[in-house]
Amino acid sequence: MSQPALIIHGGAGAREGSHTTYASYAQSLRRILASAWQTLSAGDAREAVLTAVRALEDDPIFNAGLGSRLQRDGTARMSAALMDGDNGSFSGVINIERVRHPIDVADALHAERHRVLAGAHASRYARDAGLADFDPVTPHRRAEHEQQLAGEHGTVGAVALDGEGRIWAGTSTGGVGFEIPGRVSDSATVAGTYADGGVGVSCTGIGEHIVDHAGAARIATRVIDGLDLEAAIQRTLDEADARSFEYGLIALDRGGLALAGSTHGVTTLWAARDSHGSRDFVDASA
Ligand code: GLY
């Protein structure tokens, strides 16, 4: 038996204009953490990750699902991934259009022989899997696109450990905004989302930096090789800082320790519950 633990994130860094505050991010994250914790208590790590990521995708304050940023051609293309630490199996969807919950497409793909799909074929797969047509574009994101605003951060994710010791990690993103149409983010790669029997990681931040650093897989490998989670995160972030990378992450180990971290200049927006109780980025910075 394991002591269940859950950590979620709502992106890294800059607040997105005057309509959002750190207090409102914290409020949303606390609400979503509480609901996913209920799922974890009654169910398993996969369901808890799906509950959390779906709720984060539904909250337009975050850049994933509803409220995703638009690419340069004015289209929202989203990416999401899910990894089962028990089986070490990864599934993902890249640049999918017009779905409410990209994470559900990653989940459906988990049962397939071919587990990562991209572009129009991913959208068609979602429709065939029974996922309804959904427009994720909000007036705020449309206005942002009209001003040609690019972001650098924004993604959501969750990592959970259930009572049976299973770890799952999930990540979902609307990308950086005003990117070259078709750009591939880190989120649906093992650089952005990784889990194995001992650890799960979800990253947020500048996708190119996360991919160059193989952030999530790098931390997981260090834990597999015997470093404790805190040291694995610290060593990885020190290396990232030395290369002036900008990203943040959440992670959780099989002992039920949930931690968040970020490079210099980045504030990861996170909330967690584990054997140390509930806490979030607001408590941590207070
Ligand atoms: N980390 C999200 C992105 O770069 O698109």
Side-chain angles (χ1 to χ4, degrees):
M1 288 293 282
S2 299
Q3 169 78 39
L6 174 66
I7 184 162
I8 65 174
H9 74 79
R15 283 181 293 140
E16 305 202 13
S18 53
H19 74 297
T20 53
T21 59
Y22 280 132
S24 46
Y25 281 129
Q27 199 175 33
S28 284
L29 287 169
R30 286 174 192 155
R31 171 179 54 77
I32 292 166
L33 182 78
S35 124
W37 183 262
Q38 276 194 341
T39 305
L40 184 62
S41 307
D44 61 24
R46 171 181 154 274
E47 268 306 325
V49 166
L50 290 174
T51 300
V53 177
R54 280 188 202 120
L56 289 157
E57 289 173 337
D58 278 342
D59 189 334
I61 199 172
F62 301 113
N63 174 25
L66 179 67
S68 285
R69 289 197 172 110
L70 311 188
Q71 297 190 342
R72 201 167 294 176
D73 61 353
T75 298
R77 296 185 184 86
M78 304 162 285
S79 298
L82 198 59
M83 189 150 180
D84 170 1
D86 237 18
N87 294 329
S89 54
F90 178 97
S91 62
V93 65
I94 295 170
N95 281 324
I96 193 166
E97 295 177 31
R98 299 193 66 93
V99 289
R100 179 172 169 193
H101 296 127
I103 197 70
D104 281 345
V105 189
D107 185 46
L109 281 166
H110 221 90
E112 303 282 359
R113 178 159 168 240
H114 304 130
R115 287 183 262 113
V116 182
L117 287 185
H121 290 286
S123 306
R124 201 167 310 137
Y125 174 86
R127 225 55 84 217
D128 289 348
L131 300 175
D133 181 62
F134 179 81
D135 181 3
V137 179
T138 59
H140 169 64
R141 293 302 188 194
R142 182 65 66 198
E144 210 179 63
H145 178 262
E146 276 158 15
Q147 295 166 57
Q148 306 198 345
L149 286 181
E152 286 196 324
H153 309 111
T155 291
V156 304
V159 188
L161 167 73
D162 64 27
E164 302 298 318
R166 293 175 292 233
I167 296 176
W168 282 70
T171 310
S172 181
T173 188
V176 291
F178 221 75
E179 61 267 76
I180 299 172
R183 167 193 176 261
V184 174
S185 86
D186 62 289
S187 301
T189 74
V190 294
T193 307
Y194 199 82
D196 79 354
V199 62
V201 186
S202 169
C203 293
T204 172
I206 300 181
E208 285 71 12
H209 292 178
I210 299 167
V211 167
D212 285 353
H213 212 214
R218 181 180 289 244
I219 290 171
T221 303
R222 288 195 154 130
V223 173
I224 294 161
D225 285 349
L227 220 58
D228 70 49
L229 183 63
E230 193 168 359
I233 292 174
Q234 195 53 57
R235 192 178 296 180
T236 300
L237 292 175
D238 288 347
E239 291 168 346
D241 281 328
R243 294 178 67 179
S244 302
F245 286 159
E246 287 185 27
Y247 71 88
L249 59 99
I250 56 169
L252 178 157
D253 69 14
R254 67 177 309 131
L257 175 65
L259 294 172
S262 48
T263 59
H264 288 142
V266 170
T267 304
T268 304
L269 311 172
W270 60 273
R273 181 158 170 183
D274 61 11
S275 56
H276 302 285
S278 292
R279 57 202 190 284
D280 55 54
F281 73 100
V282 172
D283 307 327
S285 62

